[in-house]
Amino acid sequence: MDRILAGTPQRSTGGLTIVALAHEADVPRNALTQRHLDLKNEFYDKVRARGQMPDSEARLRQQFAKLKKLRAQDAEELAQLRADVLHLVRTVNQLTLENQQLRAELTEPGTRVRALPTQLRPDPAT
């Protein structure tokens, strides 16, 4: 523990992790995480007392910041999609109303509206 904290590891990478501590002590990692929790806690306490942050905590903080940013982006995109849906619903309703009005004008005698040949429905008998 002292070699890692002093920055002079002999067997490990020197990271401020339980894995590096286990390598440095030449013991299995689960010995520190399951049987000797007091040593694990002491190591992390010493790291924090020096004003440093354990590597695992730093990674979690980075991941948290990234996820928070992604969540904000998702919320913004969702709000935009909801607004788009409302605009599309209004447009569909408007076009449906206009289509109904034009169809009604086509059936009236003396109408000013004429159907173009491409808009006529083919006769099902032919």
Side-chain angles (χ1 to χ4, degrees):
M1 188 183 308
D2 293 331
R3 288 192 304 259
I4 288 177
L5 293 173
T8 58
Q10 293 177 356
R11 297 180 180 149
S12 70
T13 62
L16 300 176
T17 65
I18 289 301
V19 173
L21 180 60
H23 283 229
E24 193 66 30
D26 199 24
V27 296
R29 179 188 54 83
N30 67 348
L32 294 174
T33 59
Q34 295 174 5
R35 287 180 276 180
H36 297 288
L37 295 175
D38 57 328
L39 294 175
K40 179 186 88 163
N41 293 335
E42 180 184 346
F43 176 68
Y44 282 143
D45 289 342
K46 285 185 177 184
V47 169
R48 286 187 186 96
R50 295 174 58 157
Q52 295 176 313
M53 183 183 312
D55 291 349
S56 58
E57 186 176 337
R59 282 192 306 273
L60 286 173
R61 287 182 185 273
Q62 287 175 343
Q63 186 177 11
F64 179 75
K66 179 182 173 185
L67 292 173
K68 193 173 179 180
K69 181 180 175 183
L70 287 173
R71 186 168 186 253
Q73 289 173 347
D74 286 346
E76 184 179 318
E77 183 180 356
L78 183 60
Q80 182 61 49
L81 290 172
R82 285 182 174 156
D84 290 349
V85 165
L86 290 176
H87 292 351
L88 290 171
V89 166
R90 288 184 190 129
T91 302
V92 167
N93 287 337
Q94 180 65 32
L95 291 173
T96 301
L97 180 62
E98 289 175 11
N99 194 14
Q100 289 172 349
Q101 290 171 348
L102 290 172
R103 286 184 188 273
E105 284 185 41
L106 277 174
T107 59
E108 294 176 9
T111 182
R112 299 175 313 182
V113 178
R114 285 186 299 164
L116 298 175
T118 57
Q119 291 178 327
L120 293 176
R121 294 188 181 149
D123 187 14
T126 59

